[in-house]
Amino acid sequence: MKLTITNYKEATKNIDFKKLPEAAQEAHKEFSSFAEFYNDDKDIKEMLDNHFRIVEPFLKDAPKKASDKKKSTASKKSPKKASQKSESKKTASKSRQKKTATRKATARKKAAPKQIKRKPNEVALMPLEIKIIKRYLSMHGQKVSERQVSLLYKVIQKAATEKTIRKTSKYADEISKIGNDLASTYKQMGSSCTFEIPDALHSKLKNIVDSYGVSPAIALIKRFINLYGNITIQKAQRLLASIKNAKKSGKVSSGDNAYERVNQVQKHLEDYLDSDKLLVTNIQLNGLKGVAGVGK
């Protein structure tokens, strides 16, 4: 399997990193810190790509999940004994099931339709300023290393040098305060420290971050892109159900810029479930990636 930013956490969860080189252990611990800036910093991208190459050979040696063992053990139980025990419960459970079903049906009828809350700022690709603010907030109250503090400061400095973030940027003042705080913390800390953000600044930054979100339409398209090449009937059915529910609830509507692309994804999924073949041309896939900001 080829590791990517998207599949890394799931693919490596069964690996014993203590058996890997020390550099790989450190990179794994700080993966979240690096991953956010994978597409924004060439040095970070190169470092993570190298880390992926080191880890990939160990994927095949990862032990199976404990749940798999439980399933095989459970399958060995005598169906005869199980049926004898369950037989005595059938009559009583039927009446309980009927009552439960009736209550649930009544509750569904009475329940008011959910109000769909949309973020004030819905984007296809999260702005670099928001990524930096989110990473800074995630450090609050946590024990952080010199490397983590210096990494985020380096990202800010590089963004300023390359004018990715300018003095005229919307959150230039907040980014400047973050940079100053990181520099000050780095000078005063030892090899690690418990990171604290002043309450007033923390509250302000949290309000900014909470106002941003990936457009629901874009999120669905990204799910399809991540599914491409690794699709199954179950995964296709789940994504198709999500698309239909999003349209029904109003999360995705004809007013969205990516609405037609969502319809395109829905058609691909429906065709796949009908024919067991996912026919998507490179042009169509690249078009979806462009709309979703994937690979930028």
Side-chain angles (χ1 to χ4, degrees), residues 2-60:
K2 184 173 177 60
L3 288 174
T4 65
I5 292 295
T6 304
N7 69 14
Y8 179 82
K9 288 188 177 180
E10 179 67 24
T12 61
K13 64 183 180 183
N14 292 319
I15 290 180
D16 183 2
F17 274 87
K18 292 178 182 177
K19 297 179 180 179
L20 271 67
E22 188 175 343
Q25 294 179 38
E26 289 300 314
H28 176 68
K29 287 178 186 176
E30 299 173 0
F31 174 76
S32 296
S33 301
F34 293 125
E36 291 181 77
F37 305 103
Y38 181 81
N39 292 314
D40 301 305
D41 191 301
K42 290 180 181 178
D43 294 334
I44 291 175
K45 184 179 186 301
E46 184 178 340
M47 185 274 291
L48 280 180
D49 286 342
N50 184 55
H51 174 64
F52 293 158
R53 285 192 287 271
I54 293 171
V55 175
E56 280 167 1
F58 293 86
L59 292 174
K60 60 184 178 182

Side-chain angles (χ1 to χ4, degrees), residues 67-231:
S67 59
D68 293 338
K69 294 180 181 178
K70 288 180 182 178
K71 286 178 184 176
S72 61
T73 304
S75 64
K76 293 177 182 178
K77 289 183 180 179
S78 170
K80 195 172 184 180
K81 289 183 180 179
S83 62
Q84 287 173 350
K85 288 181 180 180
S86 62
E87 191 67 36
S88 60
K89 298 178 182 178
K90 282 185 179 179
T91 305
S93 65
K94 280 183 181 179
S95 60
R96 284 199 299 271
Q97 287 171 3
K98 286 182 181 179
K99 289 178 181 178
T100 303
T102 303
R103 283 198 298 270
K104 286 182 178 179
T106 305
R108 280 196 296 269
K109 288 179 182 178
K110 290 182 178 179
K114 290 183 179 180
Q115 293 295 319
I116 303 302
K117 290 184 179 180
R118 303 289 294 260
K119 296 281 188 179
N121 300 301
E122 289 185 349
V123 293
L125 193 65
M126 204 60 71
L128 180 57
E129 298 104 301
I130 303 303
K131 289 182 183 179
I132 291 171
I133 294 172
K134 283 181 71 175
R135 184 61 200 155
Y136 179 69
L137 287 175
S138 72
M139 292 163 63
H140 180 61
Q142 302 297 316
K143 187 176 181 180
V144 297
S145 66
E146 282 182 306
R147 191 181 187 189
Q148 287 172 297
V149 174
S150 64
L151 169 67
L152 188 55
Y153 181 74
K154 171 181 171 290
V155 170
I156 293 174
Q157 290 295 96
K158 193 168 185 178
T161 302
E162 296 178 351
K163 299 191 184 301
T164 311
I165 298 177
R166 301 171 179 269
K167 290 181 179 179
T168 54
S169 296
K170 188 174 181 179
Y171 301 113
D173 185 48
E174 286 76 13
I175 297 299
S176 177
K177 287 179 180 177
I178 290 172
N180 291 337
D181 185 43
L182 291 170
S184 175
T185 300
Y186 186 79
K187 288 177 183 177
Q188 297 176 33
M189 71 185 292
S191 59
S192 65
C193 72
T194 299
F195 198 83
E196 298 291 340
I197 302 173
D199 290 342
L201 180 59
H202 185 278
S203 179
K204 183 179 181 181
L205 294 178
K206 191 173 185 309
N207 287 336
I208 291 172
V209 167
D210 288 346
S211 71
Y212 277 81
V214 174
S215 157
I218 296 298
L220 290 168
I221 293 171
K222 284 183 176 180
R223 279 179 61 185
F224 177 75
I225 293 170
N226 292 333
L227 202 63
Y228 188 77
N230 189 32
I231 195 168

